[in-house]
């Protein structure tokens, strides 16, 4: 199938120029318009009729921009809950939704990404899994071209809202519960990936707790990896009283390592994924309602698309122990 990118390459113009020609923008020269349309005819390019229809009728169409973790299948649970919540709320709000994975736009610059979403009739975008490395998405947010909502990232401007739990407080709360229950003095903390926004916020939470309680804190970068958490636990757990993890996957890796080492150390996680219920050891964790977070994000995007200003929205969290009986009921 011929894409808009193919047309732009053949005509020797930017994707944004092709988009302007196809959408009859006035600020395009006749020579350029003719050159593009000649290529469109020669290649048999068919613009997205659905997108064009949506655009002309001003029907709300939004994109879910999702980053998949290709290193593990377990994290797919979170993405699927996000999608489920967004689709459910979009139906109630009579919004059309498409899912776009970041790998689909990795090789594009901000102008190409803008044209790509324009060609799909997109009016608003929800961004999941944004990191400090995602420069093109940051530029897209800064451009104000689309109404946008970011999940778990502190970006707020006139066209962008942020939706998340209070990660600092949540990490503080679950660690305090675990440490208090077990009278721990030395804490091994397995942090997330370097470029994630929640990594820094959760690290602030555990540091605040350890300073208040005068606890010895050892921080290691677990990179949200079950394998990495296992390796770090094997190496450092003996010299600490408990293992506090910035994700459930790391908590599972830590707990399995402790079982193999035949020593007991209390472990707590973060997220509340269903997989925790199958581990066999009831660990404290932060329960995030990913479906609810996505529903709130759709509500916020709908609000922005009606002309409101961007803002920070905080969703509640709870502390739980994931039990097998709970996840099968």
């Amino acid at each position: 199938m011929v894409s808009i990118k193919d047309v732009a390459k053949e005509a020797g113009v930017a994707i944004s120029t092709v988009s302007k020609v196809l959408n009859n923008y006035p600020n395009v020269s006749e020579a350029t318009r003719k050159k593009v349309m000649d290529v469109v005819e020669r290649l048999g390019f068919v613009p997205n009729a659905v997108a064009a229809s949506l655009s002309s009728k001003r029907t709300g169409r939004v994109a879910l921009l999702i980053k998949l973790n290709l290193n593990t299948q377990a994290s797919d649970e979170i993405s699927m809950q996000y999608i489920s919540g967004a689709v459910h709320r979009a139906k109630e709000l009579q919004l059309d939704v498409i899912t776009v994975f970041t790998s689909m736009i990795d090789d594009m610059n901000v102008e190409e990404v803008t044209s790509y979403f324009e060609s799909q009739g997109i009016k608003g975008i929800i961004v999941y899994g944004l990191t400090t490395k995602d420069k093109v998405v940051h530029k897209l947010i800064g451009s104000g071209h689309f109404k946008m909502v970011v999940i778990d990232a502190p970006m707020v401007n006139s066209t962008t809202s942020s939706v998340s739990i209070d990660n600092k407080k949540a990490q503080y709360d679950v660690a305090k519960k675990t440490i208090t229950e077990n009278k721990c003095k030395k804490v091994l903390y397995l942090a997330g990936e370097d470029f994630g926004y929640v990594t820094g916020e959760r690290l602030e939470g555990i540091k605040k707790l350890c300073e208040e309680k005068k606890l010895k804190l050892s921080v290691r970068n677990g990179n949200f990896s079950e394998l990495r958490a296992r390796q770090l636990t094997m190496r450092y757990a003996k010299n600490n009283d408990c293992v506090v993890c910035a994700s459930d996957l790391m908590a599972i890796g830590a707990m399995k390592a402790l079982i193999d080492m035949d020593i007991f150390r209390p472990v707590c996680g973060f997220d509340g994924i269903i997989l925790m219920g199958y581990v066999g050891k009831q660990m404290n964790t932060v329960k995030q309602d990913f479906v609810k977070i996505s529903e709130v994000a759709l509500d916020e995007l709908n609000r922005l698309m009606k002309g409101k200003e961007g803002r920070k929205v905080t969703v509640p969290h709870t502390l739980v122990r994931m039990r097998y009986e709970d996840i099968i009921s």
Side-chain angles (χ1 to χ4, degrees):
M1 182 179 294
V2 178
S3 69
I4 191 172
K5 192 173 182 179
D6 297 326
V7 173
K9 183 177 179 180
E10 182 71 16
V13 298
I15 292 177
S16 57
T17 301
V18 177
S19 179
K20 289 177 180 178
V21 170
L22 295 174
N23 287 285
N24 294 315
Y25 278 50
N27 57 335
V28 180
S29 70
E30 283 304 316
T32 299
R33 190 181 303 277
K34 184 177 186 306
K35 180 167 61 174
V36 170
M37 291 310 297
D38 285 346
V39 173
V40 167
E41 185 176 350
R42 186 168 72 252
L43 296 183
F45 174 67
V46 179
N48 190 321
V50 174
S53 173
L54 286 168
S55 178
S56 64
K57 295 178 182 177
R58 298 186 180 274
T59 303
R61 195 174 208 219
V62 302
L64 312 179
L65 184 57
I66 295 177
K67 178 175 292 185
L68 292 180
N69 183 351
L70 301 179
N71 297 319
T72 174
Q73 295 180 351
S75 62
D76 287 351
E77 176 193 326
I78 296 175
S79 295
M80 290 308 300
Q81 288 188 45
Y82 275 145
I83 293 172
S84 174
V87 170
H88 174 261
R89 180 64 90 232
K91 185 176 181 180
E92 292 180 343
L93 296 173
Q94 296 185 318
L95 295 171
D96 189 30
V97 174
I98 67 168
T99 301
V100 178
F101 298 105
T102 52
S103 57
M104 298 165 63
I105 62 171
D106 277 346
D107 60 343
M108 298 183 189
N109 58 37
V110 68
E111 290 79 15
E112 291 171 332
V113 171
T114 299
S115 296
Y116 172 79
F117 283 124
E118 281 183 338
S119 71
Q120 300 292 316
I122 298 301
K123 303 299 182 185
I125 304 170
I126 299 179
V127 184
Y128 304 85
L130 182 70
T131 70
T132 57
K133 294 192 300 182
D134 299 317
K135 302 301 183 184
V136 170
V137 179
H138 279 275
K139 289 180 181 178
L140 192 66
I141 292 170
S143 73
H145 195 90
F146 299 99
K147 305 297 184 181
M148 299 183 70
V149 174
V150 291
I151 307 296
D152 281 339
M155 280 75 202
V156 175
N157 59 35
S158 61
T159 57
T160 305
S161 288
S162 169
V163 175
S164 70
I165 66 167
D166 186 336
N167 280 278
K168 179 179 178 179
K169 185 178 188 304
Q171 187 67 88
Y172 179 99
D173 290 346
V174 72
K176 181 179 180 180
K177 186 174 191 297
T178 302
I179 289 168
T180 302
E181 288 174 347
N182 296 277
K183 300 178 180 179
C184 303
K185 297 296 183 183
K186 295 186 291 184
V187 179
L188 172 61
Y189 181 70
L190 304 186
E193 61 181 359
D194 289 335
F195 303 102
Y197 287 102
V198 297
T199 297
E201 293 171 5
R202 294 174 190 177
L203 184 57
E204 286 180 23
I206 190 65
K207 284 182 175 179
K208 178 184 177 185
L209 175 65
C210 290
E211 287 171 4
E212 289 179 359
K213 301 293 184 181
K214 294 180 170 56
L215 307 174
K216 182 179 178 181
L217 175 64
S218 299
V219 179
R220 297 291 181 269
N221 190 345
N223 205 34
F224 291 137
S225 164
E226 183 179 346
L227 175 60
R228 178 67 175 157
R230 173 183 172 83
Q231 294 168 340
L232 291 171
T233 302
M234 289 279 196
R235 184 172 179 180
Y236 297 107
K238 284 184 179 179
N239 297 324
N240 289 278
D241 300 325
C242 67
V243 184
V244 177
C245 301
S247 77
D248 285 345
L249 280 178
M250 290 195 295
I252 292 169
M255 180 58 73
K256 292 298 186 182
L258 290 167
I259 292 172
D260 290 345
M261 295 165 70
D262 198 25
I263 63 172
F264 171 76
R265 297 289 186 276
V267 178
C268 63
F270 200 114
D271 285 332
I273 62 174
I274 292 174
L275 193 59
M276 282 285 270
Y278 290 95
V279 176
K281 302 287 183 180
Q282 290 182 28
M283 293 179 273
N284 291 323
T285 189
V286 174
K287 175 66 174 176
Q288 294 199 69
D289 189 338
F290 297 109
V291 171
K292 179 65 176 178
I293 290 171
S294 222
E295 289 176 344
V296 170
L298 255 293
D299 287 337
E300 189 60 23
L301 189 59
N302 188 51
R303 174 182 166 276
L304 290 171
M305 290 166 65
K306 290 180 178 178
K308 302 296 184 179
E309 292 282 308
R311 62 182 180 176
K312 177 178 174 60
V313 180
T314 302
V315 180
H317 67 272
T318 56
L319 302 185
V320 299
R321 287 179 181 267
M322 300 291 289
R323 300 188 309 158
Y324 177 68
E325 291 81 6
D326 295 331
I327 64 175
I328 62 173
S329 60

